[in-house]
Amino acid sequence: MSSQTRLSGSSAATQPRPHGRDDAHHDSRLARLIGRSRNIILIAVAAVMICAFSLFLLGAILAAQTVWTAWSGVLAGHVGTTDLTLRFLEIVTVMLKAVFFYLIGVGFYSLFISPLNVTVALGVETLNDLETKIISVVIVIMAVSFLERFIDWQGRDEVLWSAGALGLVVAALTVFQWQTHRAGQEHKHQHPDILERAKVEMFERAHEEHEITPDEADLRFDEEEASRRRGEAREAGERRRKTPARQR
């Protein structure tokens, strides 16, 4: 009988709370105020999306003008492939900058306001994912910008210095991107159920306070205990290494 009562109690604790009176009093006034303050991110989303749309429009206008100039030069018998390539690469750079702002806008909206299918399809579900995608776009923009300088190279040493600086920056960004991606994957794999439950509570049920369930409390206690034991084992190993062989 006691086992049945324990099972029923645990199942009731894990089941989602029904909507209604309990939902209305789930959060305190301060928690609702602080939680709803995330809507201020809409100002940043609007500003960034305006920048993205402006850059997309500017890139389209530049593309139309460049294509018109290129065909006019071909029909007139004046073809400058180097200048034409540089103009097209400039358009690519503008479009990549537009993508940069667009990713930030939709990423902020999906992370703070409501999840979007476009961000899930792009693999942007956490702030670490957004950082990784942004770094990738930045690296591509830097590569295209260097390609413009390389095509316009006239034997000056400035391009060589730019290549060295670009290599160092790209290497640093790649290492940071790898660390960020690894940290994000570890965070996802450690508490997948907790993360999903928090998203459901915040976006679908409009709950701002995170309720720690007994299972989650036990999980955190086990992790703290395991971390404490690893620390003790590490300290014991260091003491053994520092102890002289004669004292052993």
Side-chain angles (χ1 to χ4, degrees), residues 47-59 62 89-105 133-134 136-146 148:
V48 172
M49 294 302 287
I50 290 174
C51 294
F53 293 148
S54 299
L55 286 173
F56 278 127
L57 182 60
L58 176 62
L62 289 176
L89 286 176
E90 183 181 358
I91 295 170
V92 173
T93 304
V94 173
M95 292 299 185
L96 286 173
K97 292 177 181 178
V99 172
F100 174 84
F101 285 102
Y102 180 79
L103 282 177
I104 294 177
K133 300 299 181 182
I134 289 176
S136 299
V137 177
V138 169
I139 292 175
V140 176
I141 292 175
M142 294 173 63
V144 174
S145 299
F146 175 76
E148 293 181 29

Side-chain angles (χ1 to χ4, degrees), residues 114-136:
S114 179
L116 300 173
N117 288 327
V118 62
T119 55
V120 176
L122 293 173
V124 180
E125 299 183 20
T126 63
L127 188 59
N128 289 330
D129 296 335
L130 181 60
E131 292 176 355
T132 302
K133 300 299 181 182
I134 289 176
I135 291 174
S136 299

Side-chain angles (χ1 to χ4, degrees), residues 2 18 34 44 47 51 73 77 81-82 109 111 144 154 158 189 199 207 211 235 239 248:
S2 60
I34 296 176
C51 294
T81 56
T82 301
Y109 185 89
L111 292 175
V144 174
Q154 298 177 357
E158 180 183 356
H189 293 158
K199 290 181 180 179
H207 291 171
E211 182 180 357
E235 292 177 358
R239 286 196 299 267
R248 295 179 185 176

